[in-house]
Amino acid sequence: MMTVMTAIVAAFAAWLAAFGEQAPGTSTQPAPPPVRRALPQVTQEFIAVDAPVVALQHVRVIDGTGAPASDDQTIVIEGATIKAIGPSRAVTTPAGARVLDLSGRSVMPGWVAMHEHLFYTGPTGQGRVAGAPEYYPTMVYSFPRLYLAAGVTSMRTAGSMEPYADLEVKRYIDAGRIPGPKMHLTGPYLQGPGAYLLQLHALESPEEAAKMVNYWADLGFTSFKAYTQITRAQLGAAIRAAHARKLKVTGHLCSVTFREAADLGIDSLEHGISASTDFVPGKKPDECPAPVGNEGNPEIDSPQIRDLIKYLVNKKVAVDSTLPVSEAGVPGRLSEMPRFWDVLSPLAQADYRVARSRADQGGAARLRRSMDFEVAFVKAGGTLIAGLDPTGNGGAIAGFGDQREVELLVEAGFTPLEAIHIQTENGANFLGEGARIGTLKVGKAADITVVKGDPSRTIADVENVEFVFKDGKGYDPKKLIDSVKGMVGSR
Ligand SMILES: [Zn+2]
């Protein structure tokens, strides 16, 4: 009996030690010198490269600034930080470093993805059921792994259905208890009356909007998202409360126009032109006109849209591109990759098959229009950031969708280097994290994605991820993806 108890106590102490804590009364010895501590086993098993010093030799560097790629470079990582980058012949690899010969590979900064969620459409197995309230479950298990596997090392959650769950997922990841990206939490949606999702609270007053912002900001949420039915007064109150704390507000708008939101001081607009109601004839203030579409909207190259773009640029309002969620509804463009089907749960597969059969004939024109708007916006000096939005008909999912976003930016008309810059440095600067992440530079966090091939020429090579370094530890993307087979839609 005693030996069993002793074993249990020892196991408990070891478990605590794994989290850097000490069991009460187990030791009064002076602290040992610091050692590189392994993460808890459940995370450690996904790490393929873990050494105090790592040298990535003979690699093509795409640094995230938009500068041309540099061939045959060596990057030295020490601990969690980039210690050196330069031509392989000039950079000395420290003795004892773990050396990876990465000839034929390219590296990019870990992506800073800006319209991510931990939730996904709630599959029924029968597609959308008439009369069934919409409910989006949170993928606490599968999505953090899929984001990281795709090369997303930092993400903004851009609206939460289960804010406490999002908060705990972030804490678990930061403690190394589960693998996943660094998370920048966005609060629960700021929505007016008429929400179609059960999990959204309908604000009743501007005061309540400010109260909600302050409550979640106190818990560590760093941004807020206004939604389709919010009133101008509620949005204004939320923006004032957030800005007083140096936090940002974004919006997937409808009841409030882009121009009105810019006047109220909003920081960014989600989904680009597809969410604008600025040109809907007869639009009533504070009301979301239905149905919302681009029909009747002016051409991207019209004076009206050019004026709107100029207005947003002058007010320093960023636009967040979310092309994959639009693409998923376009006939003939739906995702057919085996890796996509492999991770969906049986119910989610069934729902997505139904959704494919209902693909929207007008979708292709709308997707092209969104692309054209984003290119025009950047040409006019606007800041474009990027994400995927894993909602819609279920065809855009964490990680894979972020890779697709970068490919679609290239289809829109950006060069591969520009697209990667949008997905890395622009996001980091928008988050106020530009000094730490977003480009490959000495002194910055060693958040680095290694891919086979050369995405500076062939953008689809962003899918060939071999390692994802987060804070200097190299994760194995295949293992991460294999660990969530059949789970998306479930957890
Ligand atoms: Zn969204």
Side-chain angles (χ1 to χ4, degrees):
M1 192 61 198
M2 268 320 284
T3 46
V4 173
M5 276 306 291
T6 311
I8 289 171
V9 168
F12 179 62
W15 182 82
L16 283 174
F19 296 103
E21 290 164 35
Q22 202 178 64
T26 48
S27 172
T28 50
Q29 300 294 312
V35 289
R36 189 174 168 87
R37 192 158 53 88
L39 293 171
Q41 187 54 34
V42 67
T43 300
Q44 195 68 35
E45 69 183 83
F46 295 99
I47 298 176
V49 184
D50 189 9
V53 182
V54 178
L56 312 179
Q57 292 183 338
H58 307 299
V59 72
R60 179 180 300 103
V61 171
I62 298 166
D63 69 5
T65 65
S70 311
D71 289 340
D72 197 5
Q73 305 281 299
T74 288
I75 299 183
V76 178
I77 301 169
E78 203 180 299
T81 310
I82 298 173
K83 270 285 165 212
I85 307 184
S88 293
R89 59 189 147 67
V91 171
T92 318
T93 294
R98 168 91 191 265
V99 173
L100 301 184
D101 182 341
L102 295 178
S103 306
R105 274 71 166 192
S106 303
V107 293
M108 299 173 283
W111 286 350
V112 186
M114 297 298 284
H115 193 126
E116 316 312 302
H117 296 298
L118 288 188
F119 60 80
Y120 179 70
T121 46
T124 62
Q126 304 172 16
R128 207 157 264 176
V129 177
E134 283 291 327
Y135 175 80
Y136 285 0
T138 294
M139 302 293 110
V140 292
Y141 183 83
S142 59
F143 272 16
R145 292 174 183 219
L146 288 172
Y147 280 124
L148 189 61
V152 174
T153 52
S154 293
M155 60 180 269
R156 179 180 72 170
T157 54
S160 175
M161 296 292 161
E162 306 282 355
Y164 285 114
D166 287 8
L167 182 60
E168 286 309 308
V169 167
K170 176 187 166 59
R171 287 177 176 162
Y172 269 52
I173 291 170
D174 289 348
R177 295 174 70 176
I178 56 171
K182 301 170 195 178
M183 286 172 58
H184 294 257
L185 300 173
T186 305
Y189 287 67
L190 299 166
Q191 172 71 316
Y196 70 100
L197 270 152
L198 278 187
Q199 291 136 298
L200 303 190
H201 170 69
L203 292 169
E204 285 174 2
S205 67
E207 294 72 32
E208 199 191 4
K211 209 166 133 189
M212 207 163 141
V213 165
N214 284 318
Y215 178 81
W216 292 103
D218 283 345
L219 289 176
F221 286 66
T222 51
S223 62
F224 294 88
K225 177 157 135 191
Y227 210 40
T228 51
Q229 314 286 341
I230 197 167
T231 65
R232 289 164 299 168
Q234 290 165 351
L235 178 57
I239 291 171
R240 282 191 298 278
H243 285 183
R245 308 177 68 133
K246 303 210 177 336
L247 304 178
K248 288 196 163 106
V249 177
T250 190
H252 171 178
L253 301 174
C254 180
S255 48
V256 179
T257 66
F258 281 12
R259 209 176 265 262
E260 289 167 342
D263 285 338
L264 291 168
I266 203 162
D267 299 288
S268 59
L269 297 164
E270 301 303 310
H271 311 300
I273 196 68
S274 66
S276 154
T277 51
D278 291 65
F279 306 104
V280 174
K283 168 160 183 342
K284 295 195 187 77
D286 295 333
E287 276 183 32
C288 176
V292 185
N294 294 308
E295 295 79 7
N297 268 356
E299 295 293 313
I300 297 300
D301 195 24
S302 63
Q304 294 101 305
I305 297 275
R306 278 205 298 270
D307 281 357
L308 176 63
I309 286 176
K310 209 180 197 182
Y311 203 76
L312 298 177
V313 172
N314 285 341
K315 295 260 182 190
K316 296 196 171 12
V317 181
V319 166
D320 198 359
S321 167
T322 60
L323 300 170
V325 69
S326 309
E327 187 195 33
V330 178
R333 295 187 59 126
L334 304 170
S335 178
E336 298 291 348
M337 311 91 82
R339 61 175 197 168
F340 169 80
W341 291 105
D342 280 353
V343 297
L344 293 190
S345 70
L347 287 186
Q349 288 189 9
D351 271 31
Y352 190 54
R353 283 204 184 88
V354 174
R356 288 171 78 217
S357 68
R358 292 183 190 154
D360 171 6
Q361 295 305 321
R366 276 202 295 278
L367 177 64
R368 187 64 244 176
R369 182 178 162 80
S370 291
M371 290 174 165
D372 291 345
F373 175 80
E374 288 165 14
V375 170
F377 180 71
V378 171
K379 252 190 203 142
T383 298
L384 191 67
I385 51 182
L388 87 138
D389 196 9
T391 58
N393 69 4
I397 61 171
F400 299 160
D402 296 283
Q403 295 172 343
R404 191 67 191 140
E405 165 67 16
V406 175
E407 294 170 6
L408 290 172
L409 286 173
V410 172
E411 185 180 329
F414 297 105
T415 67
L417 291 167
E418 286 168 341
I420 292 165
H421 166 69
I422 289 164
Q423 184 73 305
T424 55
E425 189 174 21
N426 280 6
N429 287 343
F430 186 86
L431 290 174
E433 291 275 312
R436 276 187 287 261
I437 57 172
T439 61
L440 298 181
K441 208 176 151 202
V442 171
K444 284 198 177 183
D447 293 352
I448 304 170
T449 301
V450 179
V451 299
K452 200 168 180 192
D454 181 3
S456 74
R457 289 170 197 278
T458 307
I459 196 63
D461 285 347
V462 298
E463 296 179 17
N464 308 331
V465 180
E466 293 192 342
F467 299 103
V468 180
F469 285 87
K470 191 188 82 167
D471 288 330
K473 289 175 190 278
Y475 290 79
D476 178 339
K478 188 177 176 305
K479 252 189 168 173
L480 286 165
I481 294 168
D482 285 348
S483 75
V484 301
K485 281 202 168 147
M487 290 204 191
V488 172
S490 165
R491 62 171 60 193

